[in-house]
Amino acid sequence: MLACAALLLATGCQRHPLDEKVTARNDLDFSMWLSRQPRDLTAVDRKDLRDALQQIKFIVMTASPGLTPAEQSQATYAELSGQTIREILAASFTLQHDRIAEEVATLLSREDRYRAVDPATLNSEAREFLEGFKARMEQRRSEMQRLEDRRLQIEAR
């Protein structure tokens, strides 16, 4: 009975893989740290975490131009270190979503103008461009929704 209680206590107290804190100082440390994470961290989670690292690198690079690669790496891992996987992924999805939302917002007036155009009055090149534009806008909106859904999924797990 005591052994069963101890087993239940031990398994009930295990931390969720997304609540693991990142402890890395550079790309090699990060790769090694990620390889040691439990198998419960899905392949999609791992890919998203690598993507999140790229997002943070981009933010650091644009926020502080002129940093050496070593300084950029140090700043990137200072941002990551101590945060949970869940926090990093949620922040990354939010960053990506907001970047796409900004892009879509700048194209809304153009999209409104294009809606007023009758495709039958256009030559084939212009019609092809219009169709491509509509497809790209739909793709961007779909990507925004995917990122929001994924963020909510990560936060709820």
Side-chain angles (χ1 to χ4, degrees), residues 19 32 106:
D19 294 326
M32 292 177 68
T106 62

Side-chain angles (χ1 to χ4, degrees), residues 41-135:
L41 193 61
T42 69
V44 172
D45 294 338
R46 290 172 191 275
K47 179 195 174 300
D48 287 343
L49 192 54
R50 284 190 285 278
D51 291 347
L53 173 61
Q54 294 306 314
Q55 293 294 321
I56 293 169
K57 284 181 177 184
F58 178 74
I59 296 295
V60 167
M61 185 176 66
T62 57
S64 303
L67 291 179
T68 66
E71 291 168 332
Q72 286 178 357
S73 180
Q74 184 179 19
T76 297
Y77 286 99
E79 284 286 322
L80 287 175
S81 194
Q83 290 193 54
T84 66
I85 294 171
R86 184 184 316 277
E87 292 167 335
I88 293 167
L89 291 177
S92 173
F93 295 139
T94 299
L95 285 169
Q96 291 175 69
H97 176 280
D98 292 352
R99 190 175 302 128
I100 294 170
E102 194 174 303
E103 176 187 332
V104 167
T106 62
L107 295 172
L108 286 177
S109 63
R110 185 181 300 176
E111 183 179 41
D112 288 341
R113 283 193 317 261
Y114 290 165
R115 268 196 206 114
V117 173
D118 179 10
T121 64
L122 301 174
N123 66 30
S124 63
E125 269 184 32
R127 203 171 23 252
E128 187 176 311
F129 171 80
L130 186 60
E131 289 169 9
F133 178 82
K134 288 177 183 178

Side-chain angles (χ1 to χ4, degrees), residues 25-36:
R25 293 172 294 161
N26 55 46
D27 290 339
L28 179 60
D29 279 355
F30 182 79
S31 292
M32 292 177 68
W33 172 84
L34 188 55
S35 71
R36 291 189 304 268

Side-chain angles (χ1 to χ4, degrees), residues 129-142:
F129 171 80
L130 186 60
E131 289 169 9
F133 178 82
K134 288 177 183 178
R136 286 188 300 278
M137 288 294 282
E138 181 56 37
Q139 177 187 17
R140 301 313 275 165
R141 287 185 174 107
S142 175

